[in-house]
Amino acid sequence: MGKGGNIVLINATPYNWILEDVQFDTMEHWGDTFGEGITKVISSNSSVEAYIEFKGNIFGDNHTGWGSATYRMDGTSYKFTIHAVAAGIYSLNVTLDTFSTLSNPQGSKIELGFVVNEDVTFTIAGDSPATFTSTNGPSDWMQANLQILGPRPLQNICMISSHDAGMNKVTVSNPWASESNTLTQWLPVSGQLTAGARLFDIRPTLYQQTYATGHYSHAEILGWVGLSGQTMQEIVDQINAFLDVNHELVILRLWASQNINDSHRPFNQKEWDDLMALMAHPTTGLRHLFVADNPTQVDLKTLPLQKYIGNGKSAVVVQIQPFDINIDAFASKGFYKDWQLQYYDVYSDTTDFQKMKDDQFKKMRDYCSANPIDKRVLFVLAWGLTLEGTQNLYGNIRNNGDYSNRQLFKVFPEVSKEVYPNLISIDSIRPGDLPALAMAINWKIKQ
């Protein structure tokens, strides 16, 4: 028996994808997969999960097989080919034979990888090469798609959200916490930005005189357990560097503060003032803070994206969520209260992927069914697993996140013009398919 896994094809274009040619040699499952059934025609706004398998030998491996499958978008000359290669390692890739996508010229080879018994995804969203966002999409995916996204308010857009952003490294340690059971991200905020994340869940801490991100919880016997990650100054610097080049919208959602110096209590007013002063500093603070026309009264979710990043602008929105914190001194500098951008954000509190998936989809259907689009807050699809019991000692949050993220393709079939997430909140952000997934949803919900 050989090594097998799934390739998922997400068609978020107005064209059916027609299978035109299949070639293979020394493959256990390729010709039957692409020559029969659902993979012959992949309908517009649909997805297909197809099983492929390399042929094995008596040792279980064979590093010489290959396969190809060429699709054409119906009514066009746009063709792409899926390739499977076993040459030292197993891999899947896609070549753009007769067209380009944003950030991928015609003829490009887009590597998908290969994971035994799991999924890799290839996505195209858009209606022409000028608008196609594919896997390996642009780092400035909002600006690149401003023609379609610009007129929409935030409540009619899907974005990727980083859960516990900044928790990719340790700057303050705790004897009862480890990297495996506390860190949530593989990449710093700079890498998450490049990979496509646009909202950052930041839980600030203060240790000695340094503000940083943190991930802490209170255990009945052990007390406060957790770690601190990237410093806030480091995050500010990375956002500046990214937005100097990529004219995107970045939202920083600050909440759940903890003063580690003083028994992990929440920040007081002065501590919040000092953090806001750091972020708004005229020379070392955020350079692209967005100031609305009526900053103390605006409902940010109702503003169209072009208001934030039109005319080649970059924008940072900083939201201070504790309702009792006074931000008057910073209200005209790009800082906003909790009520000015509200969320429906309820996680599933389980380590079981199937339970999490079913629960999050039910929450999304129920919320969207009960609330007209123009009355909704931002719905957060909390696509993450929590550690339970002994997993708090031996589990690995980022490995769990990798597994969950390989299943993100399951979101697309659940989306309609009326039912969709505004934010998909994930751990373990990596480069690859995130801008394409967001744009696949944004094209599918186009009103």
Side-chain angles (χ1 to χ4, degrees):
M1 185 174 181
K3 299 292 176 63
N6 296 311
I7 180 170
V8 179
L9 303 175
I10 296 180
N11 177 4
T13 76
Y15 315 106
N16 295 335
W17 294 354
I18 310 298
L19 184 65
E20 289 207 329
D21 182 64
V22 180
Q23 303 287 333
F24 62 96
D25 182 57
T26 323
M27 296 289 290
E28 192 71 39
H29 292 289
W30 187 270
D32 54 346
T33 296
F34 286 102
E36 302 172 4
I38 58 174
T39 55
K40 279 191 170 182
V41 178
I42 303 174
S43 300
S44 171
N45 280 324
S46 72
S47 60
V48 166
E49 185 178 15
Y51 180 76
I52 67 100
E53 186 177 315
F54 295 90
K55 186 178 287 292
N57 55 31
I58 59 173
F59 302 105
D61 289 313
N62 186 322
H63 292 293
T64 59
W66 62 272
S68 66
T70 299
Y71 283 89
R72 177 178 54 81
M73 298 187 193
D74 196 21
T76 78
S77 61
Y78 308 145
K79 294 183 181 183
F80 65 89
T81 300
I82 305 162
H83 302 271
V85 181
I89 60 171
Y90 299 109
S91 67
L92 292 167
N93 64 70
V94 173
T95 55
L96 304 178
D97 300 327
T98 65
F99 67 97
S100 61
T101 66
L102 298 174
S103 78
N104 296 285
Q106 181 177 328
S108 295
K109 181 170 73 171
I110 299 173
E111 296 289 349
L112 305 181
F114 179 75
V115 184
V116 176
N117 297 326
E118 292 194 35
D119 301 87
V120 296
T121 301
F122 178 69
T123 302
I124 302 178
D127 59 8
S128 72
T131 63
F132 284 151
T133 300
S134 69
T135 301
N136 192 42
S139 58
D140 62 341
W141 64 269
M142 285 181 155
Q143 193 69 230
N145 288 284
L146 200 59
Q147 183 176 358
I148 177 176
L149 297 179
R152 297 191 198 179
L154 296 189
Q155 62 194 150
N156 297 135
I157 292 175
C158 178
M159 297 178 281
I160 304 299
S161 173
S162 171
H163 177 245
D164 272 306
M167 292 306 300
N168 68 299
K169 69 176 187 178
V170 179
T171 56
V172 178
S173 61
N174 178 294
W176 305 111
S178 68
E179 292 188 6
S180 62
N181 67 16
T182 306
L183 297 186
T184 59
Q185 302 292 342
W186 297 108
L187 302 174
V189 164
S190 57
Q192 296 171 44
L193 284 162
T194 300
R198 291 297 174 265
L199 186 142
F200 294 85
D201 158 26
I202 291 177
R203 307 175 192 199
T205 64
L206 178 61
Y207 178 66
Q208 296 178 350
Q209 301 300 314
T210 300
Y211 286 97
T213 54
H215 185 198
Y216 291 87
S217 59
H218 191 271
E220 186 173 346
I221 296 175
L222 299 176
W224 286 101
V225 177
L227 302 169
S228 293
Q230 286 188 270
T231 68
M232 291 303 299
Q233 186 62 58
E234 183 181 6
I235 289 173
V236 166
D237 293 343
Q238 291 181 357
I239 292 171
N240 283 339
F242 179 81
L243 291 182
D244 285 348
V245 178
N246 302 277
H247 305 304
E248 299 283 281
L249 168 64
V250 173
I251 301 171
L252 305 181
R253 181 185 180 190
L254 276 62
W255 69 295
S257 63
Q258 294 190 18
N259 185 328
I260 301 173
N261 302 315
D262 190 3
S263 303
H264 288 260
R265 63 163 174 76
F267 290 176
N268 58 32
Q269 182 67 52
K270 182 182 185 306
E271 289 157 354
W272 275 112
D273 286 344
D274 289 346
L275 176 56
M276 288 187 281
L278 180 155
M279 300 178 76
H281 192 279
T283 56
T284 59
L286 291 162
R287 285 197 285 270
H288 302 281
L289 287 163
F290 172 78
V291 181
D293 294 336
N294 51 342
T296 63
Q297 301 298 319
V298 66
D299 184 348
L300 293 165
K301 73 177 184 296
T302 66
L303 296 184
L305 184 62
Q306 61 197 10
K307 184 71 174 178
Y308 294 96
I309 61 170
N311 299 316
K313 295 180 295 186
S314 301
V316 182
V317 167
V318 182
Q319 182 182 30
I320 308 299
Q321 281 209 283
F323 71 92
D324 57 343
I325 296 301
N326 187 312
I327 68 165
D328 289 353
F330 299 90
S332 62
K333 298 180 180 180
F335 291 74
Y336 299 88
K337 294 286 289 180
D338 61 327
W339 65 265
Q340 293 182 276
L341 191 60
Q342 295 181 302
Y343 312 86
Y344 181 99
D345 185 1
V346 183
Y347 71 107
S348 297
D349 197 16
T350 179
T351 192
D352 184 295
F353 174 79
Q354 188 68 35
K355 289 180 180 177
M356 181 275 290
K357 174 180 72 70
D358 292 345
D359 179 60
Q360 287 298 308
F361 286 160
K362 183 178 186 301
K363 284 180 167 67
M364 181 171 68
R365 289 191 299 269
D366 289 350
Y367 178 78
C368 292
S369 297
N371 296 275
I373 292 174
D374 62 347
K375 302 297 183 184
R376 294 177 192 171
V377 299
L378 301 189
F379 180 88
V380 180
L381 192 75
W383 196 259
L385 303 175
T386 53
L387 301 181
E388 298 175 333
T390 58
Q391 289 186 350
N392 284 294
L393 296 175
Y394 307 112
N396 190 301
I397 293 174
R398 294 184 291 186
N399 288 348
N400 287 351
D402 284 338
Y403 175 79
S404 298
N405 292 349
R406 286 194 287 270
Q407 311 296 312
L408 276 168
F409 68 90
K410 294 180 178 177
V411 178
F412 185 72
E414 299 294 321
V415 167
S416 68
K417 290 183 183 296
E418 292 76 31
V419 177
Y420 55 87
N422 298 107
L423 294 157
I424 303 175
S425 174
I426 58 175
D427 298 321
S428 307
I429 289 173
R430 296 180 186 267
D433 208 49
L434 296 178
L437 175 64
M439 285 310 303
I441 293 171
N442 285 322
W443 275 94
K444 193 172 183 180
I445 68 177
K446 185 179 179 183
Q447 301 298 318

